[in-house]
Structure formats: structure tokens, C-alpha cells
Amino acid sequence: MVNLRGFKETSIELGDGLTLLVGPNNSGKTSFLRLLNWLFNEARIETLGGEVPITDDESDLLLPARPTRNQARRLTLEVEISDRRTLRRYAQNGENAELRMTAWANGEVRLNVGPPRRGEANNDRNRDLAMTLLRELRDSTAFTLIPASRDAASENFHEALRAAAVAKLEKQALHTRRGRAPAQSTRIRRAVDEVREISAELVAPLWEEMTEAIPPGLAQSAQLGPDIDARHLVGWLADRTVLRLVTGDHDELGVGAVEVGSGLQSLLELAINRAGGSEGVDWILAIEEPEAFLHPSAQRTLARLLRPAEGSRLIVSTHSPLLVDEARFGEVVLVRNHHFYEPRPVSEERRAEINSALLTGYGAEMAFASSLLLVEGDADRLFFERLRRRLAADGAGQGLDRLYVLPVGGKTGFGQWLNLVRSFGEVGNRPIRYFVVADDDGAMDVRRGFLDAGLTVGSKTTSLLQRVSKAIADKDDPEEVRKAVAAVNRQARRPLRFQLLAGELETAALRQASDETCASLAASFGGGAPTERSALIAWLRNKRHKGTWMRALIGDRLPWTELDRSVAGVMTAWMEGHKEAIANLKRLRDGESI
């Protein structure tokens, strides 16, 4: 897609199976599905052939709100054609055919095949070939879009119910396929014959009454009766098909679909569309936010039920981490700012399995983040998350709710997560920015994690990391460790997006804490926690007092003016791009109000 709606230039591969579009509101998920639905189902042939201009509604759908400086606006479908002779009609390169729709600001739309060529606007043969390909694509592909707004009272619901009923009735009652007719088809034909016969008998006296008003000899005889066949009966039955539900003892007599909860109504429309899928064609079902109105446990169940049948395609846009949790790595496509970030193919099944495993729990929520802070464990996560919440609640800048802290499971766990995050996008264009922070005793472990993720750690950075490890092992003066850590951070902060904390989290968190703050925290911790700062830090570092809730409490209670410079540096790097939030954090640390 190029310059359509909010899209500047992006592409996506829609293979068989599930494609899960994950992104914030207004990122392009709905626009993409609406564009596909328009081309497959709504666009008039006369419009696509350039014979009539687009309507105002179509203009709103196709044309972007921003100027494009006369650049082309295109939607291109790459169509796989298995028959080589047919393929040669549409593709000169012997690969896949390209069906390209181009829209102009004057309201004209035109279809072409193949890559753009000068003078193609006047090439009637190319246009006719494109129209033929579109008709064949529409005949061979059924695209169904289920919008996010779903309820049993909607027109969409009733159309879907009728279409599904017609499909089932026609299959059994009309017997449109080869082979022996099912028993139901024979019974339907007999019923229609019987109804026709009885009706003819009932209305026969009407002709006798009519002949009294007709001069003799003008009409010798007549046949009067219903002109019906099985197909008429199928339509009549489908029009009168209703759905009544029993959900428990409270409605054991059955209630209409509009009387049940919103979540169940939403599921009913999804179920109808899936059950009524077209047969004998490539079926693409697109669903917006299937999790709407559903309890988390129901979302998990739905996610498993959404697995598409073999050979069919399912496109799902979602805001639910639970749907990501149930998906696999290769199925998740991140959508940011009207751009698709597909997962980079992996060379071995083991890597795909690892990435799928990581995309659960914390990893599923990570998929919705704009900026990621990778930390060692849950205690670190809670501390930095509480700081983020306080900053967002203080009005320190927009967008902070899309920042996320992810615990990697220890100092040796960074590599696998970096591999996952870096599998989306390219250097300089990633859907999720990231920053790594670790305790100083994990210096060399983090280096190994960077190397495992394919990142280059220069010799100077390696030397500085070794200096940190040696200072800790030699039990030098803490000031020497702090200086070594500072040197690493100056070197690695920008190219590797990495920072060490001087000491463990407790040391960094409370390094600038006042006596009053330490006393208040100690009282809240209980259990004989000391009130003096160094003693309190040592007490917290004891394994018996490693409760993660204590680190969360520090993040909640620590005054901004007592926030250590190293922690503020982590927050600033994490909030990169949020200039207002970074400026406000500095004001808060300086004791100013915002």
C-alpha cells in the first residue's frame, strides 16, 4: 500500500492460517481491513474501470488526509496463480501476478496489472486484463469482514444468520452437488409438491368464479396455483429462521439473541460467520477485536477456537494480550503508525518455539508497547513500573502508558528477549524501542546476551565491562566500582541502549534517600527493618527480605528530589521520544512543580 489513508508505504504477506494484527488505536488495523473489503466486495466495476468517479464515502476511505505531493496512491495485491498458462497472461516475470489499484485526487480510480509503467493510463488492454483478473479473484475468493461493533440486533447479524441458513438449506435441500441426493432433499421436494397440490385445490374455485365474468370462448381453461419450487421454499425458510437461546435455568424456555449479554452476542456473530463460510473458494475471514465484551477467561477460550481450518485464512485485529498469548510467533504482526512489522523468518524451528514461548504472559503485553525496559526480575519491574505510573499520573507527558517493563528472568536472560524484540523491524525503524538495565554484577552476562542476539560489543566496551567485573570480584572500594560502572554507561548507553546500576537495585534506589524517607519506608516494611540508610540497604539485600512488594513501595514513596541520577538516567533513556515527560522528570527532581 502506498499513500492510502494513513499509510505511506508498507506491505504485508497474508499466508494461510492466522495473521494477528497487534497495535494501538489509530495505527491502521481497521483501515487495512476496510480497504481489502472495499476491493473484494464493495467497489463497483464501473468505478474500478475508470468509467465513473468514486463517491464521497469512497474518497474518505481511499484518499489520505495529508498531502502526498502528487505521489501515487496504490493498493497492490500479489496473486498466486498455480496454472502456468493462466499466470503468463498476467505476469511477465513468471512469478506472481500483480493487481494494482491506483486512485487519483480527482476521484478517478483505475486497475492495472504488473508494475507501474509510463503511459499505462491509456492502455485499454492492460485495464481489461486487470478487470478480468479482479473478476476471477472475486469469484475464487470469499472475503468476509466482521466489524468490531457486533450485536444481535444489527443488520450485519441478521444478514450473516440468513446467509448461513441459506448455505446449509441449499446444500441439503436443493442438492446442488454431484452424488446421491440426501434424504432431506427428497423430503423437501415431496413437501413442495404436496404444498403445490393442496394449494391448487384450495384456489381452484377462484377460477370458476372468474369465468362468470369472462365472455364464453375467450378462455377455455386455466391452471391456477402457486408457482413455487424448492429454492423458493429455502428463501422463505431462511427469512424466517430465528435464534433462541437457553443459557441456564433462568431462561430455560429460551430467549431471543438480543436478550443475552453483549459478549455472547458478539460471539454469536463470529460463530455464524465461521459456520457459514463459503465452500469451494479461498476463504478469508477478517475479524476486528473479537475479544470485545468478553471476560478474560472467555478470551482465552475464544483464542483457541479461532484457529483457522487448513487452507483458510483468518486476519484478526486485537487489543488483547490474551489473544497474543495464545498465538504463535510467526502469526503476530505489529502495526505502528500505519506500518506493518512482520516477524523476521527464523532459520530453525527451535528459535520459533522459543519466541512463541516468550510471547506469553509479560511477552504478550510487550507486543502492545512503544518502548520497552528490559530488567532482570520482578522486583526491578515493580520499582520502575511504579515510577512510570507516578510520572504518568502527575501529567508528565502523553504516551507514558505505552511504556512497559519486562523482567527477563535474571542476568543471563537478556539475549533471548533481545532476539525476540529485534525480530520485528530493522535498525532505525523498530515498532518497539528497548533499553537494557542490569545490576553491575551482571556485566559480562549481559555482554553475552548482546552477542547471542547478534549485536556487536566493541573491544572498548568489553574492556570496560571486564573492569567492572574485576572491581566487584576484588571487593575494591565501592567508589571504584561506581567509577567503572559510569565509564561503561558513557560508552554503551547510546550504541547498545544499555546501562548498569552501581550496586543492586536497592543501592541505586536508595542512594540519595533522606533519613526521613528511610525511616518511613522501614516503618512500612516492618520486621525490624533498620532506619539508617546503609543498614536499610543491607537489610533489603538480604534474601530474607527480597519481597518484590517492598521494591514497589520504594517506587511509590521515594520523593522525586531523592531519585538517584542513575535511576533517572534509566527513566530518561526508556522515555526517549517523550520530550515533555523527560523535561518534567528533571523539574520534579529539581523540586519544581509541573
Side-chain angles (χ1 to χ4, degrees):
M1 282 183 291
V2 178
N3 293 323
L4 289 174
R5 292 187 70 79
F7 295 98
K8 185 175 181 180
E9 183 172 3
T10 190
S11 63
I12 183 173
E13 181 177 348
L14 299 177
D16 290 343
L18 173 64
T19 299
L20 194 65
L21 304 178
V22 179
N25 291 323
N26 200 36
S27 60
K29 304 185 301 298
T30 296
S31 291
F32 168 61
L33 298 181
R34 286 186 60 196
L35 286 169
L36 284 182
N37 186 58
W38 178 79
L39 185 59
F40 275 101
N41 299 319
E42 297 177 349
R44 296 170 297 169
I45 293 297
E46 295 81 6
T47 299
L48 294 172
E51 299 172 20
V52 297
I54 56 177
T55 65
D56 290 341
D57 288 341
E58 289 174 323
S59 177
D60 291 340
L61 173 66
L62 297 176
L63 304 183
R66 55 180 173 78
T68 57
R69 298 179 181 177
N70 297 320
Q71 292 179 333
R73 302 172 176 90
R74 297 192 184 102
L75 172 62
T76 303
L77 297 182
E78 191 172 290
V79 184
E80 292 184 2
I81 300 176
S82 57
D83 181 73
R84 306 303 298 178
R85 179 177 298 179
T86 303
L87 177 61
R88 282 196 294 269
R89 292 173 55 199
Y90 301 111
Q92 302 299 319
N93 57 13
E95 296 179 0
N96 293 326
E98 288 186 7
L99 178 63
R100 179 166 39 85
M101 184 278 297
T102 304
W104 286 273
N106 63 3
E108 184 180 350
V109 170
R110 188 181 179 101
L111 283 185
N112 293 99
V113 293
R117 293 184 177 88
R118 186 181 300 275
E120 66 181 11
N122 299 318
N123 189 332
D124 291 337
R125 181 180 181 281
N126 188 288
R127 180 198 61 186
D128 293 343
L129 201 59
M131 297 299 291
T132 301
L133 179 57
L134 174 66
R135 291 188 180 94
E136 292 180 355
L137 187 61
R138 284 182 167 183
D139 289 341
S140 62
T141 305
F143 183 91
T144 301
L145 173 61
I146 305 176
S149 177
R150 297 180 291 271
D151 65 83
S154 71
E155 184 177 342
N156 287 338
F157 181 89
H158 289 287
E159 288 180 353
L161 180 60
R162 187 187 186 282
V166 166
K168 298 304 178 186
L169 286 167
E170 286 184 344
K171 181 179 178 180
Q172 296 298 107
L174 301 184
H175 182 52
T176 56
R177 300 186 170 212
R178 294 181 179 180
R180 183 177 180 181
Q184 294 94 330
S185 175
T186 302
R187 292 171 61 187
I188 285 288
R189 286 200 303 272
R190 289 175 181 172
V192 171
D193 292 341
E194 187 172 355
V195 168
R196 188 187 299 116
E197 182 180 342
I198 294 174
S199 299
E201 293 177 359
L202 293 176
V203 300
L206 176 60
W207 173 248
E208 296 177 3
E209 295 173 6
M210 292 170 61
T211 56
E212 296 178 359
I214 299 175
L218 292 182
Q220 297 180 1
S221 64
Q223 294 179 350
L224 184 63
D227 183 16
I228 61 172
D229 57 21
R231 190 171 298 277
H232 294 123
L233 182 58
V234 163
W236 184 86
L237 291 172
D239 289 338
R240 286 153 183 80
T241 297
V242 296
L243 179 63
R244 296 186 65 82
L245 301 162
V246 176
T247 62
D249 294 339
H250 60 284
D251 56 12
E252 60 183 3
L253 297 180
V255 296
V258 295
E259 303 299 329
V260 299
S262 298
L264 182 52
Q265 290 187 42
S266 176
L267 288 177
L268 288 171
E269 184 166 343
L270 297 180
I272 288 171
N273 278 280
R274 295 206 70 185
S278 303
E279 297 184 8
V281 298
D282 290 335
W283 186 32
I284 304 176
L285 179 61
I287 308 174
E288 292 188 78
E289 302 171 29
E291 71 275 6
F293 309 111
L294 294 183
H295 183 274
S297 62
Q299 291 185 38
R300 287 197 177 279
T301 302
L302 173 65
R304 290 191 293 273
L305 295 176
L306 280 177
R307 307 306 305 181
E310 185 176 355
S312 63
R313 305 177 196 184
L314 179 62
I315 310 171
V316 175
S317 69
T318 184
H319 295 142
S320 172
L322 297 179
L323 265 64
V324 179
D325 200 312
E326 297 287 343
R328 300 192 62 78
F329 166 68
E331 299 168 339
V332 176
V333 176
L334 303 185
V335 188
R336 301 289 191 275
N337 298 320
H338 293 78
H339 190 90
F340 297 115
Y341 295 89
E342 299 181 81
R344 188 176 299 112
V346 293
S347 58
E348 56 180 6
E349 184 177 347
R350 177 175 175 271
R351 183 72 251 170
E353 293 294 340
I354 292 173
N355 287 346
S356 294
L358 295 179
L359 278 174
T360 59
Y362 291 133
E365 292 196 43
M366 174 207 73
F368 295 86
S370 63
S371 184
L372 190 64
L373 182 63
L374 294 166
V375 298
E376 290 187 26
D378 275 323
D380 308 77
R381 182 185 73 85
L382 285 176
F383 173 70
F384 285 106
E385 170 60 14
R386 292 294 182 169
L387 291 176
R388 183 204 65 79
R389 291 188 187 188
R390 284 174 57 194
L391 203 55
D394 286 343
Q398 300 295 319
L400 294 190
D401 289 330
R402 291 186 55 209
L403 274 59
Y404 189 69
V405 193
L406 192 148
V408 302
K411 59 178 67 78
T412 62
F414 288 100
Q416 58 186 2
W417 285 102
L418 287 170
N419 254 314
L420 174 60
V421 175
R422 288 170 53 80
S423 66
F424 294 95
E426 305 293 339
V427 175
N429 181 25
R430 297 202 183 279
I432 304 175
R433 294 190 302 272
Y434 64 86
F435 192 77
V436 174
V437 59
D439 296 343
D440 53 13
D441 63 353
M444 298 307 293
D445 294 296
V446 176
R447 176 182 179 275
R448 171 52 56 190
F450 280 120
L451 294 175
D452 289 345
L455 288 161
T456 300
V457 181
S459 59
K460 184 174 181 179
T461 302
T462 298
S463 177
L464 292 172
L465 289 170
Q466 289 171 338
R467 175 186 167 191
V468 172
S469 295
K470 184 177 186 304
I472 294 174
D474 292 345
K475 298 183 179 180
D476 284 345
D477 186 329
E479 184 63 18
E480 173 60 26
V481 175
R482 189 192 67 77
K483 289 180 180 179
V485 167
V488 167
N489 292 343
R490 286 193 297 271
Q491 177 69 20
R493 181 183 177 89
R494 180 56 58 185
L496 289 178
R497 302 193 56 77
F498 164 56
Q499 179 176 325
L500 287 176
L501 294 176
E504 295 187 2
L505 174 67
E506 297 79 15
T507 304
L510 296 177
R511 182 178 287 114
Q512 300 298 324
S514 65
D515 293 340
E516 181 182 359
T517 298
C518 290
S520 173
L521 289 171
S524 298
F525 294 155
T531 59
E532 193 272 327
R533 182 176 59 197
S534 59
L536 180 59
I537 291 173
W539 185 86
L540 285 168
R541 292 178 63 178
N542 189 301
K543 291 183 179 180
R544 291 181 298 173
H545 310 129
K546 282 289 186 180
T548 55
W549 68 272
M550 296 180 184
R551 282 67 184 171
L553 192 63
I554 296 173
D556 271 336
R557 301 276 186 86
L558 187 70
W560 290 116
T561 54
E562 299 174 17
L563 191 69
D564 185 67
R565 180 180 178 181
S566 65
V567 175
V570 172
M571 296 292 293
T572 299
W574 183 25
M575 296 187 299
E576 182 181 352
H578 298 273
K579 295 181 180 179
E580 181 184 1
I582 293 172
N584 284 331
L585 176 60
K586 184 179 184 304
R587 294 190 185 97
L588 289 169
R589 291 187 67 224
D590 291 341
E592 302 176 17
S593 59
I594 58 173

